Amino acid sequence: MGSGRLYAAVAAGGFRRYATYRTATAAGVFTNTVFGLILAYTYLALWHERPHLGGYDEAQALTYVWVGQALLMTVSVMGGGFEDELAERIRTGDIAIDLYRPADLQLWWLAGDLGRALFHLVARGALPMAVGAVLFPLALPSRPLAWVAFLAAVTLGAVVSFALRFLVALSAFWLMDGAGVAQISWITATFCSGMLLPLNVFPGVLGEIVRALPWASLIQAPADVLLGAADPAAVFARQLAWAVVLLVAGRMLQSAATRRVVVQGG
């Protein structure tokens, strides 16, 4: 099997793996929908007092809410993807088997995580978004190209998310327990991704900083592309730059971890 077919099979396996958890998926759809309703009415009250806050009108703000609910699990803002399993394999020493397999460790886990992301986008993203569109006047684009650009931004956001979580998981090579790093990671992602509030509403220097950080690629960037609030080319360039930087950092850390395993094994 060629390498491309191998990783495609891993991605398909990741999709099928999460598709088996039907009860959990249904519960997740319900939770996303309820949380979306709470946020939507909170946003309505906020935008009633501060019209055009962050450059969004009311319909755009409501759309942002439901985009966030659609992407919450797709880009694993609060974790729950491959990183816990990888960190556990590092802790138990099973990672040594993975490192000696004729497959690239980073690409293997990336392929599986993209399969997971696709499942969550379809299964846990589409229905809450549809509920939001029925109950609220959303500013959804009518041009197919806008949706294509949105999906491209979501894909890049998923890659950036993977790269961040891959670094978190690999920290277990040097720490007794990577749970603390994981908690810091998802707290940072919750605040800096735009999950709770659009990053555009953050004032002054703070707003500039959070919009420049990699976590902005997870929710804020795809939402702005869908809403037409940002130039897609500029968004893609920033997401791609972060993806490359973080993936290279992960590969360097992976190489250091491999040398560590070889030395200990020897």
Side-chain angles (χ1 to χ4, degrees), residues 15-83:
F15 185 98
R16 289 194 301 269
R17 176 183 178 183
Y18 283 87
T20 60
Y21 303 123
R22 297 177 183 177
T23 302
T25 299
V29 169
F30 176 78
T31 301
N32 284 139
T33 303
V34 170
F35 192 49
L37 289 170
I38 294 171
L39 276 179
Y41 284 109
T42 302
Y43 274 39
L44 281 173
L46 181 58
W47 259 258
H48 178 73
E49 295 296 324
R50 297 283 303 277
H52 300 287
L53 181 63
Y56 295 153
D57 60 26
E58 189 174 276
Q60 288 176 315
L62 289 170
T63 305
Y64 185 94
V65 168
W66 294 103
V67 169
Q69 293 310 299
L71 299 184
L72 180 61
M73 286 300 296
T74 302
V75 296
S76 290
V77 174
M78 301 180 69
F82 74 96
E83 62 274 16

Side-chain angles (χ1 to χ4, degrees), residues 90 167 169-177 252-258 260:
I90 294 171
L167 289 170
L170 290 187
S171 70
F173 274 109
W174 290 271
L175 301 174
M176 292 295 294
D177 185 358
M252 293 172 63
L253 202 61
Q254 175 184 320
S255 298
T258 302
R260 182 183 178 91

Side-chain angles (χ1 to χ4, degrees), residues 223-250:
D224 277 343
V225 169
L226 185 68
L227 293 170
D231 177 19
V235 171
F236 298 157
R238 177 168 291 183
Q239 287 181 301
L240 185 59
W242 274 120
V244 170
V245 168
L246 293 168
L247 288 173
V248 169

Side-chain angles (χ1 to χ4, degrees), residues 120-193:
H120 282 307
L121 179 64
V122 174
R124 288 190 59 170
L127 187 55
M129 175 71 82
V131 171
V134 169
L135 297 179
F136 300 96
L138 303 187
L140 297 175
S142 58
R143 296 181 300 108
L145 284 180
W147 288 99
V148 171
F150 169 69
L151 292 176
V154 171
T155 302
L156 287 171
V159 174
V160 172
S161 173
F162 164 82
L164 287 165
R165 290 176 289 123
F166 188 69
L167 289 170
V168 169
L170 290 187
S171 70
F173 274 109
W174 290 271
L175 301 174
M176 292 295 294
D177 185 358
V181 176
Q183 290 176 352
I184 293 172
S185 175
W186 71 256
I187 290 172
T188 304
T190 300
F191 180 79
C192 296
S193 66

